[in-house]
Amino acid sequence: MKNILCYGDSNTHGANPASDVRLARDVRWTGVLQTLLGDGYYVIEEGLNGRTTVWEDPIEEYRNGKTYLLPCLMTHAPLDLVILMLGTNDMKTRFNKTAFDIAKGAEKLVQMIQASQCRRDNGAPPILLVSPAPVSDFAPQFAPMFAGAIEKQPQLAGYYQQVAEEHGCVFLNPDFMVPYPGEGLHFGPEEHKKLAKRLSVEVQGLLA
């Protein structure tokens, strides 16, 4: 059994852009990925709404991805792969971070994973680093919170790719994703399927 940890935010948690009810396990990209990979893999879902890379949120507490990362890795060890998909919440206006800063936050998490000794041989598991997906015209509840994010998001992929190359990670730019119309931030069911299919190819290439 190959263990895959998916460490992310609300789009990993399965926030539903059309209602307050969380998307079902078999609809979320992690669940679809599990189905696509089959019985030889165990996909571990670790998504939290509002999670950042390394920043403390003064309004929504316990969202710092750095704080929980090592306990999470140790809890689920041994791990054969970590899929790291964070950075969207770092674009919130309250953090006032550049695309470069956000990528450096992701880099810190990459470094922590690579020093964690949570693979079966006490080494570091490979990392599949996913840059933040596109965002679009936000619903009223998100527009003030993410002011400037639509312009900032396209800058992130290049910096994330640099991090991946410098640290020997596999990189995925989810520029093929389309946020839910009228909501602008989260994925609908069809987009979860698209992401899972793309990730399944990457995972099988890494762990075959």
Side-chain angles (χ1 to χ4, degrees), residues 32-52:
V32 179
L33 180 62
Q34 177 68 76
T35 299
L36 292 171
L37 294 175
D39 294 338
Y41 298 82
Y42 177 46
V43 177
I44 304 162
E45 182 182 83
E46 279 285 355
L48 175 64
N49 294 338
R51 178 177 279 152
T52 68

PDB file of all heavy atoms in Angstrom, residues 32-52:
ATOM      1  N   VAL A  32     -11.862  11.094  -5.671  1.00  0.00           N
ATOM      2  CA  VAL A  32     -11.782  10.662  -7.072  1.00  0.00           C
ATOM      3  C   VAL A  32     -10.401  10.085  -7.360  1.00  0.00           C
ATOM      4  O   VAL A  32     -10.260   9.065  -8.058  1.00  0.00           O
ATOM      5  CB  VAL A  32     -12.091  11.840  -8.014  1.00  0.00           C
ATOM      6  CG1 VAL A  32     -11.982  11.395  -9.477  1.00  0.00           C
ATOM      7  CG2 VAL A  32     -13.474  12.409  -7.743  1.00  0.00           C
ATOM      8  N   LEU A  33      -9.376  10.725  -6.823  1.00  0.00           N
ATOM      9  CA  LEU A  33      -8.014  10.221  -7.006  1.00  0.00           C
ATOM     10  C   LEU A  33      -7.866   8.817  -6.424  1.00  0.00           C
ATOM     11  O   LEU A  33      -7.244   7.939  -7.038  1.00  0.00           O
ATOM     12  CB  LEU A  33      -7.017  11.177  -6.347  1.00  0.00           C
ATOM     13  CG  LEU A  33      -5.538  10.796  -6.437  1.00  0.00           C
ATOM     14  CD1 LEU A  33      -5.075  10.742  -7.888  1.00  0.00           C
ATOM     15  CD2 LEU A  33      -4.680  11.783  -5.645  1.00  0.00           C
ATOM     16  N   GLN A  34      -8.447   8.596  -5.250  1.00  0.00           N
ATOM     17  CA  GLN A  34      -8.406   7.258  -4.650  1.00  0.00           C
ATOM     18  C   GLN A  34      -9.037   6.220  -5.583  1.00  0.00           C
ATOM     19  O   GLN A  34      -8.493   5.131  -5.792  1.00  0.00           O
ATOM     20  CB  GLN A  34      -9.134   7.265  -3.315  1.00  0.00           C
ATOM     21  CG  GLN A  34      -9.215   5.917  -2.620  1.00  0.00           C
ATOM     22  CD  GLN A  34      -7.860   5.435  -2.132  1.00  0.00           C
ATOM     23  OE1 GLN A  34      -7.344   5.920  -1.131  1.00  0.00           O
ATOM     24  NE2 GLN A  34      -7.259   4.490  -2.842  1.00  0.00           N
ATOM     25  N   THR A  35     -10.177   6.556  -6.153  1.00  0.00           N
ATOM     26  CA  THR A  35     -10.856   5.637  -7.068  1.00  0.00           C
ATOM     27  C   THR A  35     -10.011   5.363  -8.305  1.00  0.00           C
ATOM     28  O   THR A  35      -9.889   4.203  -8.749  1.00  0.00           O
ATOM     29  CB  THR A  35     -12.221   6.219  -7.485  1.00  0.00           C
ATOM     30  OG1 THR A  35     -13.032   6.395  -6.322  1.00  0.00           O
ATOM     31  CG2 THR A  35     -12.937   5.298  -8.453  1.00  0.00           C
ATOM     32  N   LEU A  36      -9.399   6.404  -8.851  1.00  0.00           N
ATOM     33  CA  LEU A  36      -8.591   6.243 -10.056  1.00  0.00           C
ATOM     34  C   LEU A  36      -7.340   5.409  -9.798  1.00  0.00           C
ATOM     35  O   LEU A  36      -6.937   4.606 -10.650  1.00  0.00           O
ATOM     36  CB  LEU A  36      -8.190   7.616 -10.602  1.00  0.00           C
ATOM     37  CG  LEU A  36      -9.318   8.474 -11.179  1.00  0.00           C
ATOM     38  CD1 LEU A  36      -8.808   9.881 -11.477  1.00  0.00           C
ATOM     39  CD2 LEU A  36      -9.885   7.843 -12.434  1.00  0.00           C
ATOM     40  N   LEU A  37      -6.728   5.581  -8.642  1.00  0.00           N
ATOM     41  CA  LEU A  37      -5.492   4.857  -8.338  1.00  0.00           C
ATOM     42  C   LEU A  37      -5.745   3.415  -7.934  1.00  0.00           C
ATOM     43  O   LEU A  37      -4.933   2.526  -8.215  1.00  0.00           O
ATOM     44  CB  LEU A  37      -4.720   5.589  -7.235  1.00  0.00           C
ATOM     45  CG  LEU A  37      -4.170   6.966  -7.604  1.00  0.00           C
ATOM     46  CD1 LEU A  37      -3.546   7.623  -6.379  1.00  0.00           C
ATOM     47  CD2 LEU A  37      -3.140   6.863  -8.729  1.00  0.00           C
ATOM     48  N   GLY A  38      -6.834   3.177  -7.227  1.00  0.00           N
ATOM     49  CA  GLY A  38      -7.185   1.805  -6.870  1.00  0.00           C
ATOM     50  C   GLY A  38      -6.640   1.351  -5.529  1.00  0.00           C
ATOM     51  O   GLY A  38      -6.117   2.136  -4.730  1.00  0.00           O
ATOM     52  N   ASP A  39      -6.744   0.046  -5.308  1.00  0.00           N
ATOM     53  CA  ASP A  39      -6.497  -0.532  -3.982  1.00  0.00           C
ATOM     54  C   ASP A  39      -5.044  -0.492  -3.534  1.00  0.00           C
ATOM     55  O   ASP A  39      -4.763  -0.656  -2.354  1.00  0.00           O
ATOM     56  CB  ASP A  39      -6.983  -1.982  -3.957  1.00  0.00           C
ATOM     57  CG  ASP A  39      -8.489  -2.111  -4.092  1.00  0.00           C
ATOM     58  OD1 ASP A  39      -9.180  -1.115  -3.796  1.00  0.00           O
ATOM     59  OD2 ASP A  39      -8.969  -3.185  -4.501  1.00  0.00           O
ATOM     60  N   GLY A  40      -4.119  -0.298  -4.437  1.00  0.00           N
ATOM     61  CA  GLY A  40      -2.722  -0.274  -4.027  1.00  0.00           C
ATOM     62  C   GLY A  40      -2.274   1.037  -3.431  1.00  0.00           C
ATOM     63  O   GLY A  40      -1.107   1.183  -3.048  1.00  0.00           O
ATOM     64  N   TYR A  41      -3.198   1.985  -3.333  1.00  0.00           N
ATOM     65  CA  TYR A  41      -2.875   3.321  -2.834  1.00  0.00           C
ATOM     66  C   TYR A  41      -3.853   3.723  -1.731  1.00  0.00           C
ATOM     67  O   TYR A  41      -5.019   3.330  -1.751  1.00  0.00           O
ATOM     68  CB  TYR A  41      -2.957   4.354  -3.958  1.00  0.00           C
ATOM     69  CG  TYR A  41      -1.986   4.135  -5.090  1.00  0.00           C
ATOM     70  CD1 TYR A  41      -2.265   3.224  -6.104  1.00  0.00           C
ATOM     71  CD2 TYR A  41      -0.791   4.845  -5.161  1.00  0.00           C
ATOM     72  CE1 TYR A  41      -1.376   3.025  -7.157  1.00  0.00           C
ATOM     73  CE2 TYR A  41       0.102   4.650  -6.207  1.00  0.00           C
ATOM     74  CZ  TYR A  41      -0.202   3.741  -7.200  1.00  0.00           C
ATOM     75  OH  TYR A  41       0.678   3.549  -8.234  1.00  0.00           O
ATOM     76  N   TYR A  42      -3.355   4.532  -0.805  1.00  0.00           N
ATOM     77  CA  TYR A  42      -4.208   5.095   0.243  1.00  0.00           C
ATOM     78  C   TYR A  42      -4.047   6.605   0.213  1.00  0.00           C
ATOM     79  O   TYR A  42      -2.976   7.139   0.533  1.00  0.00           O
ATOM     80  CB  TYR A  42      -3.818   4.540   1.613  1.00  0.00           C
ATOM     81  CG  TYR A  42      -4.600   5.112   2.769  1.00  0.00           C
ATOM     82  CD1 TYR A  42      -5.979   5.239   2.719  1.00  0.00           C
ATOM     83  CD2 TYR A  42      -3.941   5.522   3.929  1.00  0.00           C
ATOM     84  CE1 TYR A  42      -6.695   5.763   3.783  1.00  0.00           C
ATOM     85  CE2 TYR A  42      -4.649   6.040   5.008  1.00  0.00           C
ATOM     86  CZ  TYR A  42      -6.023   6.157   4.922  1.00  0.00           C
ATOM     87  OH  TYR A  42      -6.730   6.684   5.980  1.00  0.00           O
ATOM     88  N   VAL A  43      -5.099   7.315  -0.208  1.00  0.00           N
ATOM     89  CA  VAL A  43      -5.068   8.762  -0.330  1.00  0.00           C
ATOM     90  C   VAL A  43      -5.566   9.373   0.982  1.00  0.00           C
ATOM     91  O   VAL A  43      -6.720   9.171   1.377  1.00  0.00           O
ATOM     92  CB  VAL A  43      -5.925   9.242  -1.513  1.00  0.00           C
ATOM     93  CG1 VAL A  43      -5.947  10.769  -1.578  1.00  0.00           C
ATOM     94  CG2 VAL A  43      -5.392   8.659  -2.820  1.00  0.00           C
ATOM     95  N   ILE A  44      -4.708  10.131   1.635  1.00  0.00           N
ATOM     96  CA  ILE A  44      -5.008  10.730   2.931  1.00  0.00           C
ATOM     97  C   ILE A  44      -5.358  12.198   2.719  1.00  0.00           C
ATOM     98  O   ILE A  44      -4.541  12.986   2.260  1.00  0.00           O
ATOM     99  CB  ILE A  44      -3.803  10.611   3.883  1.00  0.00           C
ATOM    100  CG1 ILE A  44      -3.379   9.141   4.024  1.00  0.00           C
ATOM    101  CG2 ILE A  44      -4.117  11.232   5.241  1.00  0.00           C
ATOM    102  CD1 ILE A  44      -1.982   8.961   4.576  1.00  0.00           C
ATOM    103  N   GLU A  45      -6.566  12.562   3.079  1.00  0.00           N
ATOM    104  CA  GLU A  45      -7.067  13.910   2.863  1.00  0.00           C
ATOM    105  C   GLU A  45      -6.818  14.775   4.093  1.00  0.00           C
ATOM    106  O   GLU A  45      -7.296  14.475   5.175  1.00  0.00           O
ATOM    107  CB  GLU A  45      -8.562  13.832   2.563  1.00  0.00           C
ATOM    108  CG  GLU A  45      -9.216  15.156   2.279  1.00  0.00           C
ATOM    109  CD  GLU A  45     -10.703  14.974   2.055  1.00  0.00           C
ATOM    110  OE1 GLU A  45     -11.446  14.903   3.064  1.00  0.00           O
ATOM    111  OE2 GLU A  45     -11.117  14.868   0.901  1.00  0.00           O
ATOM    112  N   GLU A  46      -6.042  15.836   3.911  1.00  0.00           N
ATOM    113  CA  GLU A  46      -5.758  16.789   4.990  1.00  0.00           C
ATOM    114  C   GLU A  46      -5.994  18.200   4.471  1.00  0.00           C
ATOM    115  O   GLU A  46      -5.060  18.947   4.200  1.00  0.00           O
ATOM    116  CB  GLU A  46      -4.326  16.615   5.496  1.00  0.00           C
ATOM    117  CG  GLU A  46      -4.141  15.472   6.481  1.00  0.00           C
ATOM    118  CD  GLU A  46      -4.686  15.767   7.874  1.00  0.00           C
ATOM    119  OE1 GLU A  46      -5.128  16.909   8.114  1.00  0.00           O
ATOM    120  OE2 GLU A  46      -4.644  14.867   8.723  1.00  0.00           O
ATOM    121  N   GLY A  47      -7.262  18.552   4.293  1.00  0.00           N
ATOM    122  CA  GLY A  47      -7.624  19.881   3.817  1.00  0.00           C
ATOM    123  C   GLY A  47      -8.321  20.673   4.908  1.00  0.00           C
ATOM    124  O   GLY A  47      -9.177  20.144   5.617  1.00  0.00           O
ATOM    125  N   LEU A  48      -7.975  21.934   5.035  1.00  0.00           N
ATOM    126  CA  LEU A  48      -8.573  22.814   6.036  1.00  0.00           C
ATOM    127  C   LEU A  48      -8.968  24.131   5.382  1.00  0.00           C
ATOM    128  O   LEU A  48      -8.137  24.790   4.728  1.00  0.00           O
ATOM    129  CB  LEU A  48      -7.584  23.082   7.174  1.00  0.00           C
ATOM    130  CG  LEU A  48      -8.024  24.087   8.241  1.00  0.00           C
ATOM    131  CD1 LEU A  48      -9.245  23.579   9.006  1.00  0.00           C
ATOM    132  CD2 LEU A  48      -6.874  24.380   9.200  1.00  0.00           C
ATOM    133  N   ASN A  49     -10.209  24.536   5.568  1.00  0.00           N
ATOM    134  CA  ASN A  49     -10.668  25.818   5.033  1.00  0.00           C
ATOM    135  C   ASN A  49      -9.817  26.961   5.583  1.00  0.00           C
ATOM    136  O   ASN A  49      -9.606  27.066   6.797  1.00  0.00           O
ATOM    137  CB  ASN A  49     -12.135  26.059   5.410  1.00  0.00           C
ATOM    138  CG  ASN A  49     -13.074  25.067   4.763  1.00  0.00           C
ATOM    139  OD1 ASN A  49     -12.757  24.463   3.748  1.00  0.00           O
ATOM    140  ND2 ASN A  49     -14.248  24.897   5.349  1.00  0.00           N
ATOM    141  N   GLY A  50      -9.332  27.800   4.692  1.00  0.00           N
ATOM    142  CA  GLY A  50      -8.570  28.973   5.118  1.00  0.00           C
ATOM    143  C   GLY A  50      -7.109  28.724   5.404  1.00  0.00           C
ATOM    144  O   GLY A  50      -6.398  29.665   5.792  1.00  0.00           O
ATOM    145  N   ARG A  51      -6.607  27.514   5.214  1.00  0.00           N
ATOM    146  CA  ARG A  51      -5.203  27.228   5.563  1.00  0.00           C
ATOM    147  C   ARG A  51      -4.249  28.023   4.672  1.00  0.00           C
ATOM    148  O   ARG A  51      -4.420  28.097   3.462  1.00  0.00           O
ATOM    149  CB  ARG A  51      -4.928  25.731   5.438  1.00  0.00           C
ATOM    150  CG  ARG A  51      -3.467  25.348   5.746  1.00  0.00           C
ATOM    151  CD  ARG A  51      -3.273  23.843   5.668  1.00  0.00           C
ATOM    152  NE  ARG A  51      -3.720  23.202   6.898  1.00  0.00           N
ATOM    153  CZ  ARG A  51      -4.171  21.947   6.961  1.00  0.00           C
ATOM    154  NH1 ARG A  51      -4.278  21.214   5.863  1.00  0.00           N
ATOM    155  NH2 ARG A  51      -4.540  21.435   8.119  1.00  0.00           N
ATOM    156  N   THR A  52      -3.244  28.612   5.286  1.00  0.00           N
ATOM    157  CA  THR A  52      -2.177  29.328   4.584  1.00  0.00           C
ATOM    158  C   THR A  52      -0.929  28.452   4.531  1.00  0.00           C
ATOM    159  O   THR A  52      -0.897  27.363   5.103  1.00  0.00           O
ATOM    160  CB  THR A  52      -1.838  30.638   5.304  1.00  0.00           C
ATOM    161  OG1 THR A  52      -1.227  30.333   6.571  1.00  0.00           O
ATOM    162  CG2 THR A  52      -3.077  31.491   5.539  1.00  0.00           C
TER     163      THR A  52
END
